Amino acid sequence: NESRVVKCRLAGLKEKTSAKIECFVLRQVMLPGISNVCQVLLKPAKRIKENDRVNIGEFYFEVIEKQHYGNAIVRFSDSADKIMEKYGKIPLPPYIKNKSIEEERYQTVYAAKNGSAAAPTAGFHFTDEIFSALKKKGIKFAKICLDIGLDTFRPISEPDIKKHIIHKENYSVSEKEAEKINYAKKYGGRIIAVGTTTTRVLETIASRDGIIKGGNGVTGLYIYPGYRFRIVDAMLTNFHLPGSTLIVMVSAFAGREEILNAYRQAKSNNYRFYSFGDCMLII
């Protein structure tokens, strides 16, 4: 997944009270007759009401509509991209305590297309040297793009995981890259997805017979045990948060007991978890 993390974390002050508000820009929204509209995540959301204004330097945003889980629809006074370029910061996960870390460290070496609020962290395990070594072995690479939203980390709160409402994310796959994948599949190659985001895109666009087509779209695919994978043969993935849709996805791929066993081994061997942690290859 070649999506690049954008500087979508903005710090502002509520106009009436000067209360500190964090705003995470998730995606642009098209509303008739209104420009510079985005869906955002606000913290603390309880301090914000509809029609409130939050100042960010010489810019501001107004809240049009509040939504669930701290999300909101807002209108910025100027282009969100322009505001993020001047005042935005990379939204490092809260468990990363080192605030002096270089922001480029939270990007994959192949990140190319701006759009994500979080990194596709399975790709952190690749370097240019590793790519060169794999290519010498005849391994081919194909790129897709899925813009990751912060909702990807929202835990499942429903007792029945099937009733959880999954987040939606934008994706794009070129015809050229789709052809690479189809060619490999046709001639007996294995499709190894780097990360859950790549898996989600490939399974979204795969037909029942495992053929994919390029294109752009929005995916709300929620993969949980019982799902039949159409195209992905193996997966490289980090160790995920308990109760997340991501650990549910890998459980659907490898089997719940196999995943729990892998986590027990990781804990007993002091593996590192989360963004800069270790990973597993599910074959």
Side-chain angles (χ1 to χ4, degrees):
N1 179 11
E2 63 177 345
S3 186
R4 183 177 178 83
V5 186
V6 296
K7 297 180 179 181
C8 65
R9 181 184 180 184
L10 297 168
L13 298 175
K14 186 177 175 182
E15 189 169 79
K16 295 179 181 179
T17 64
S18 294
K20 293 181 179 180
I21 303 294
E22 274 197 325
C23 169
F24 298 84
V25 181
L26 301 180
R27 63 185 181 92
Q28 293 186 353
V29 176
M30 303 301 293
L31 291 181
I34 308 177
S35 58
N36 302 322
V37 177
C38 293
Q39 183 183 43
V40 302
L41 176 67
L42 299 175
K43 290 185 177 182
K46 61 183 180 181
R47 291 188 180 180
I48 295 291
K49 299 182 178 62
E50 291 180 359
N51 300 316
D52 278 349
R53 178 179 290 193
V54 174
N55 295 318
I56 303 168
E58 68 269 32
F59 304 106
Y60 65 85
F61 67 80
E62 294 177 328
V63 179
I64 297 174
E65 176 190 349
K66 290 195 70 176
Q67 301 176 321
H68 295 302
Y69 308 112
N71 288 353
I73 303 297
V74 307
R75 181 185 68 83
F76 285 96
S77 60
D78 207 324
S79 161
D81 289 337
K82 180 178 178 179
I83 298 171
M84 287 189 291
E85 182 61 33
K86 185 167 185 178
Y87 292 106
K89 294 185 180 298
I90 294 291
L92 294 174
Y95 51 78
I96 296 178
K97 305 302 182 184
N98 182 1
K99 301 306 177 184
S100 63
I101 187 172
E102 293 183 9
E103 292 186 337
E104 199 63 24
R105 189 66 184 83
Y106 195 60
Q107 305 280 5
T108 61
V109 295
Y110 50 82
K113 298 179 180 179
N114 285 339
S116 281
T121 54
F124 283 174
H125 305 285
F126 288 89
T127 63
D128 292 332
E129 292 76 16
I130 289 175
F131 276 123
S132 296
L134 292 173
K135 288 176 181 177
K136 288 179 181 178
K137 291 181 176 292
I139 294 173
K140 308 295 183 183
F141 294 90
K143 295 179 180 179
I144 58 90
C145 189
L146 180 77
D147 292 333
I148 305 168
L150 292 175
D151 266 359
T152 192
F153 304 110
R154 182 165 62 85
I156 298 173
S157 57
E158 297 284 350
D160 182 352
I161 62 170
K162 296 179 182 178
K163 295 182 179 179
H164 177 75
I165 299 175
I166 195 72
H167 55 287
K168 293 184 178 181
E169 295 169 325
N170 298 322
Y171 70 84
S172 63
V173 182
S174 73
E175 288 291 352
K176 180 181 178 181
E177 300 302 291
E179 288 174 8
K180 289 181 185 178
I181 298 167
N182 287 331
Y183 183 90
K185 197 76 172 178
K186 180 179 179 179
Y187 291 99
R190 304 187 73 216
I191 307 303
I192 303 173
V194 178
T196 55
T197 62
T198 302
T199 300
R200 192 179 189 198
V201 173
L202 293 178
E203 292 298 320
T204 294
I205 63 178
S207 65
R208 290 185 178 181
D209 55 358
I211 303 299
I212 69 171
K213 292 183 178 180
N216 304 324
V218 177
T219 178
L221 180 62
Y222 177 26
I223 297 176
Y224 51 82
Y227 177 85
R228 291 188 63 185
F229 288 81
R230 298 174 177 179
I231 193 165
V232 175
D233 298 307
M235 186 193 308
L236 183 77
T237 185
N238 284 27
F239 290 90
H240 302 290
L241 288 164
S244 67
T245 59
L246 305 180
I247 197 171
V248 166
M249 180 196 287
V250 297
S251 295
F253 189 74
R256 181 174 181 272
E257 291 307 315
E258 290 286 355
I259 290 298
L260 291 178
N261 182 52
Y263 274 63
R264 282 191 288 267
Q265 290 190 45
K267 288 170 63 179
S268 64
N269 287 283
N270 296 316
Y271 281 28
R272 294 177 182 270
F273 281 51
Y274 312 148
S275 290
F276 293 128
D278 294 304
C279 66
M280 54 182 164
L281 175 62
I282 306 173
I283 58 174

